[in-house]
Amino acid sequence: AARVERSIQASRLCHRFFGSGIGLRTRPLLLRATWPSASSAALPALSPALNRSPDLRLRRQLCAGLVRVEAPAMATRSGEGGSASSTTLAPRIESEGWFDEVHFAEIDSTQSYVEREHESFNQARLTVVSADHQTAGRGTRDRTWEARKGKTITVTFYFRFPPDQPTDFVNRNAPNVTKVLSLAVVDALRWASGSNPHPRADLRINMKWPNDVVANGQKIAGVLARAVVHKGRLDGIIIGTGVNINQTSEEMALINRPVWPATSLRAVTGSTEDFDVAAVRRRLVRSFGAELQTFFAGGFPAFRSRVNDLEVLIGTEVRFRVSDTEVIDGIFDGVDEDGLIVLRLPDGSTRPLPSGEIIPKK
C-alpha cells in the first residue's frame, strides 16, 4: 500500500506538558507518523504514532482527544510548493531500529529538554532529541553554544545501560560514552566531507580529549554529558553534541576562542555550498546507535585503539589543567582502558588522570 505522511496537529500543548519558565515556545504540535494505508483515518489510526512516542504525557494528551486528524497529505519537499510552516512546527516524532527520534523546529536547548523529560521516555530505547534552532544552547563549563537554523547540528541522546549489565561495568564505562559519541561525530563529518565536489586533500578530523572534535586544529564539535541515577546506580546517560556545519569562515571568526579556534565543515572544506544538515545528522544518529551496541557488549576497551588513533595531541607535550590551582606538564600518551588520560612526566613515570582540560604547551 502507498505510504503517506500525515500531520496530526494539536491546538496547543497544555501548560502541564510545557511547564512554567521552561522557555519552550508553545507552538502547535506537529507529530508526523507514517501509516501503510492512505485510507486510515480518525483516532484509531493514531495508535502507531502513540506507540512510537517516547513521551508518555504526550501519549496521554493525544488519547484524551487534544488532537484532530487532518486530511492525508503527501510530504512536501523544499522547492516543491506547499506551506513553509507545515515543515517547521515541532516536534516530529519517529522511530527506527532501537531508537526514537524527536525533532523540534525551535527549542531552548535539546540538552535541557532531555534533562526535564527523560523520565517519560521509553527506558529500553535510545531517545534522540534534535532541533533546527536553539535559543539557549549549552556547552561545557557553562559556556553557550550558538545554534542557528541550517547551520548547526544540535542533538541530545538519552539511554540506559541494559539492566543485566553489572554495576561495576556501568561505573567503569559510563564516563567514556563521550568518546563513543565523538567517534560517531568524526564518522559523520568524514562522510559528509566526502560528498564535497572538491574535497580538501589535507582535511584532518580528529578528537581532542575528553569531549571535542577538531578539524585541522580547530574546534568543530563538542560533547556534553551527565549521568542519571536509577535505583542507586548511574546507568542513565544524557549526552549531547553540537556540530558546526554551514557557518562561513567570516561567521566563525566572530567567535572568540583564543585556544582551539572555532570552525565549521563548510569553512574547513572551503565549500561554496551548504551541506545537508539533516542528512549529516541522520548519519551521526545511526552511527552512534550502532557504536552503542558495541559499547554495551565490550565497554571502552573495544574503542581504545580507535580513540588513540584519532587523538590530535597524542605523543606531544601538553599542559594539563587538573583544577584552577594545579597544572601538570607532560607527554600525552593517550588513554588507558578505563578512558583515563595518561601523561608521561619529566621523570619518566606515567600518571593517569580522570578529569581536567588539555591545552597545547606553547
Side-chain angles (χ1 to χ4, degrees):
R3 298 183 66 86
V4 299
E5 182 177 74
R6 297 190 179 202
S7 296
I8 305 164
Q9 174 131 20
S11 56
R12 289 236 179 217
L13 289 178
C14 65
H15 179 77
R16 178 166 165 264
F17 177 72
F18 280 102
S20 58
I22 287 177
L24 288 175
R25 300 199 174 185
T26 52
R27 299 180 173 185
L29 174 70
L30 177 66
L31 172 59
R32 291 182 179 173
T34 305
W35 283 269
S37 170
S39 63
S40 301
L43 280 176
L46 296 177
S47 57
L50 300 182
N51 290 337
R52 288 202 299 267
S53 171
D55 195 314
L56 296 178
R57 283 178 288 180
L58 177 57
R59 297 186 202 184
R60 296 190 192 107
Q61 290 168 346
L62 290 170
C63 290
L66 297 180
V67 300
R68 70 177 187 272
V69 181
E70 297 182 342
M74 296 301 293
T76 300
R77 295 182 181 179
S78 176
E80 292 183 358
S83 170
S85 64
S86 66
T87 61
T88 57
L89 299 175
R92 184 174 72 248
I93 301 176
E94 300 174 344
S95 294
E96 180 178 327
W98 73 289
F99 50 85
D100 297 316
E101 296 184 77
V102 183
H103 182 76
F104 289 88
E106 183 175 293
I107 197 172
D108 56 347
S109 161
T110 58
Q111 197 83 1
S112 297
Y113 175 83
V114 174
E115 288 175 358
R116 293 189 298 264
E117 303 295 335
H118 66 272
E119 291 183 359
S120 68
F121 299 160
N122 186 330
Q123 302 296 303
R125 294 172 64 82
L126 171 67
T127 299
V128 185
V129 178
S130 57
D132 293 327
H133 175 62
Q134 290 190 144
T135 59
R138 292 158 49 193
T140 56
R141 297 176 183 265
D142 296 322
R143 301 182 180 110
T144 59
W145 184 274
E146 298 291 334
R148 288 164 38 191
K149 184 176 181 180
K151 301 285 187 178
T152 306
I153 292 173
T154 54
V155 59
T156 300
F157 303 86
Y158 173 77
F159 68 89
R160 289 181 62 182
F161 280 85
D164 59 346
Q165 286 183 321
T167 297
D168 180 63
F169 177 92
V170 173
N171 292 341
R172 285 199 325 271
N173 288 285
N176 296 310
V177 71
T178 56
K179 303 173 186 63
V180 179
L181 180 53
S182 293
L183 286 171
V185 172
V186 171
D187 169 77
L189 290 172
R190 287 180 170 178
W191 173 81
S193 64
S195 66
N196 188 2
H198 306 288
R200 181 172 173 175
D202 64 344
L203 179 62
R204 303 179 309 280
I205 302 176
N206 299 93
M207 296 168 57
K208 182 178 79 69
W209 190 95
N211 56 12
D212 288 341
V213 176
V214 296
N216 288 4
Q218 297 177 296
K219 181 173 178 177
I220 195 170
V223 174
L224 181 66
R226 58 164 287 194
V228 180
V229 177
H230 288 283
K231 296 183 179 179
R233 75 176 195 168
L234 297 173
D235 67 351
I237 303 294
I238 298 173
I239 182 167
T241 184
V243 188
N244 296 328
I245 301 294
N246 284 325
Q247 295 93 333
T248 64
S249 298
E250 292 75 17
E251 289 172 319
M252 290 289 92
L254 298 175
I255 300 175
N256 183 22
R257 284 185 58 88
V259 179
W260 303 103
T263 192
S264 71
L265 186 60
R266 176 170 174 167
V268 78
T269 59
S271 175
T272 58
E273 297 181 358
D274 281 352
F275 291 88
D276 186 337
V277 172
V280 184
R281 184 177 63 237
R282 284 193 297 271
R283 175 76 181 203
L284 191 162
V285 168
R286 282 145 187 77
S287 177
F288 183 58
E291 298 283 22
L292 270 185
Q293 300 288 0
T294 302
F295 187 60
F296 291 155
F300 183 69
F303 294 86
R304 180 192 177 196
S305 177
R306 290 167 58 195
V307 168
N308 282 334
D309 286 345
L310 286 171
E311 283 288 356
V312 68
L313 290 176
I314 195 165
T316 66
E317 191 171 1
V318 298
R319 178 157 290 163
F320 190 82
R321 183 182 293 122
V322 181
S323 66
D324 291 339
T325 59
E326 183 181 9
V327 176
I328 302 172
D329 290 337
I331 303 296
F332 180 28
D333 270 0
V335 295
D336 63 17
E337 290 204 344
D338 290 323
L340 305 183
I341 181 175
V342 179
L343 290 186
R344 182 155 33 94
L345 305 179
D347 63 3
S349 63
T350 59
R351 180 177 173 183
L353 295 159
S355 62
E357 184 178 10
I358 294 178
I359 56 177
K361 187 176 181 180
K362 297 180 180 179

